[in-house]
Amino acid sequence: MCTTCGCANSQLLINGRKPRASASSMPLHFRPPVSNQNIIKLNQIDKNVLPPPSLPARRLRLEHDLLAKNDQLAAANRQQYAAQHITALNLVSSPGSGKTTLLVKTIESLRNEMPIVVIEGDQQTELDAKRIRAAGAPAVQINTGKGCHLDAAMVAQAMQQLQLQTHSLLLIENVGNLVCPAAFDLGEAYKVVILSVTEGEDKPLKYPDMFRAADVMLLNKCDLLPYIEFDAELAIRYALQINPALKVFSISATRGNGMPDWLDWLRSLCAQTVAS
Ligand SMILES: Nc1nc2c(ncn2[C@@H]2O[C@H](COP(=O)(O)OP(=O)(O)O)[C@@H](O)[C@H]2O)c(=O)[nH]1
Ligand SMILES: [Mg+2]
């Protein structure tokens, strides 16, 4: 059970199979409780009874332990990327903002320039991994069941199946959710948040943790701007108000507007990683 978001992922599948249960690589939600005492008390709460006064402190401790463990595993992922000069990006957004479409178009544009591999995260189905494979890149699908985010251990397991080549671009599509994926480092070089113009300008203000955690924002579906009420300048201003360092690209993944700038940024990022 994830104490950050309350999700549980006992139905986790990686490419349709339950992950191996070896201790160190076990996805975080599968691990034995950090502290049996705390877990039992959390699970035993009768919803009709008020929690004991000390519970918030225990919950915080558990959340802290879980995130600290995730950070350790993310650091191990990051070491592997550095050793193999791999550029890893973590794509986060609400469901439907265009992550998979963006990945498909990115793969189609760059697949002859560098090895590209994808880790797909969704609660159910292998639909996105199939779209990615059809675009010409190997993909591993993680199904998180009831879980609402990927964690570093899941990504480590998926990487074993991908057998990453040196100098690859690794694109990780997180579960569609603007809340919990903000807290879980996967070892990526950059977190890329995608906001589509049908979601409303106010999302950076409503979900500040995600926009603060991100390094790059893609404002997608800009081809729809003539047809809807959405103030793109205001959305960008809100995002920069939360995170002044955010790099912003306005794009249409389907029509291709703005894509050359995004692709050039990716190329220069990969070139830096290769040279490092
Ligand atoms: N008009 C428009 N539709 C888009 C764009 N990008 C994605 N879509 C559509 O948005 C829907 C959700 O896209 P998808 O890539 O599956 O989103 P994901 O859930 O974030 O992976 C699909 O119907 C896409 O065709 C875009 O730039 N413009
Ligand atoms: Mg998708």
Side-chain angles (χ1 to χ4, degrees):
M1 164 123 165
C2 170
T3 56
T4 302
C5 59
C7 74
N9 69 354
S10 56
Q11 299 159 356
L12 180 74
L13 297 175
I14 296 181
N15 270 356
R17 297 184 166 192
K18 281 191 176 258
R20 281 187 301 109
S22 78
S24 65
S25 62
M26 206 186 290
L28 290 174
H29 297 68
F30 275 93
R31 289 164 193 253
V34 180
S35 149
N36 280 336
Q37 191 193 2
N38 288 349
I39 292 279
I40 289 164
K41 293 225 161 115
L42 284 172
N43 286 348
Q44 282 178 339
I45 299 169
D46 180 337
K47 290 202 173 68
N48 300 316
V49 176
L50 283 176
S54 58
L55 187 67
R58 289 202 180 111
R59 185 182 285 274
L60 276 178
R61 172 75 204 285
L62 195 58
E63 180 180 321
H64 178 267
D65 287 350
L66 185 84
L67 289 175
K69 187 72 208 171
N70 184 72
D71 285 348
Q72 277 176 18
L73 295 167
N77 290 349
R78 195 167 276 118
Q79 270 181 3
Q80 183 181 342
Y81 304 146
Q84 291 188 261
H85 303 273
I86 287 165
T87 306
L89 299 184
N90 178 5
L91 278 82
V92 289
S93 80
S94 318
S97 62
K99 296 180 295 302
T100 313
T101 308
L102 174 81
L103 290 184
V104 165
K105 299 293 180 181
T106 301
I107 291 161
E108 287 170 356
S109 301
L110 296 182
R111 68 186 165 203
N112 295 327
E113 298 178 37
M114 60 188 78
I116 306 178
V117 289
V118 175
I119 296 174
E120 277 293 339
D122 276 303
Q123 286 197 318
Q124 299 289 341
T125 84
E126 212 175 327
L127 293 172
D128 282 1
K130 286 182 180 160
R131 286 167 70 188
I132 297 296
R133 290 177 197 131
V140 166
Q141 178 77 53
I142 299 175
N143 286 141
T144 57
K146 294 198 183 303
C148 63
H149 60 271
L150 295 179
D151 69 33
M154 295 176 197
V155 168
Q157 290 242 349
M159 285 194 313
Q160 284 174 13
Q161 298 202 18
L162 279 168
Q163 297 177 344
L164 293 171
Q165 285 179 50
T166 303
H167 299 169
S168 292
L169 171 61
L170 169 62
L171 300 166
I172 304 168
E173 177 175 339
N174 217 312
V175 179
N177 175 355
L178 276 179
V179 184
C180 295
F184 286 81
D185 183 10
L186 306 180
E188 71 272 6
Y190 287 94
K191 207 181 246 72
V192 178
V193 63
I194 297 152
L195 174 67
S196 63
V197 301
T198 50
E199 293 170 58
E201 305 90 350
D202 53 5
K203 294 305 167 291
L205 300 182
K206 289 183 172 175
Y207 302 95
D209 286 352
M210 182 58 87
F211 289 82
R212 207 172 284 123
D215 307 283
V216 176
M217 179 175 98
L218 298 180
L219 185 62
N220 190 31
K221 307 196 187 181
C222 285
D223 54 292
L224 297 180
L225 282 173
Y227 312 105
I228 55 168
E229 286 192 28
F230 181 91
D231 185 337
E233 277 181 23
L234 184 61
I236 293 170
R237 199 170 343 127
Y238 283 157
L240 292 174
Q241 187 178 316
I242 298 297
N243 180 357
L246 205 57
K247 184 165 186 58
V248 179
F249 297 95
S250 297
I251 64 163
S252 164
T254 46
R255 299 284 173 85
N257 314 42
M259 286 295 284
D261 288 346
W262 157 249
L263 295 171
D264 280 347
W265 180 79
L266 268 182
R267 285 187 185 97
S268 71
L269 188 63
C270 292
Q272 279 171 33
T273 315
V274 168
S276 62

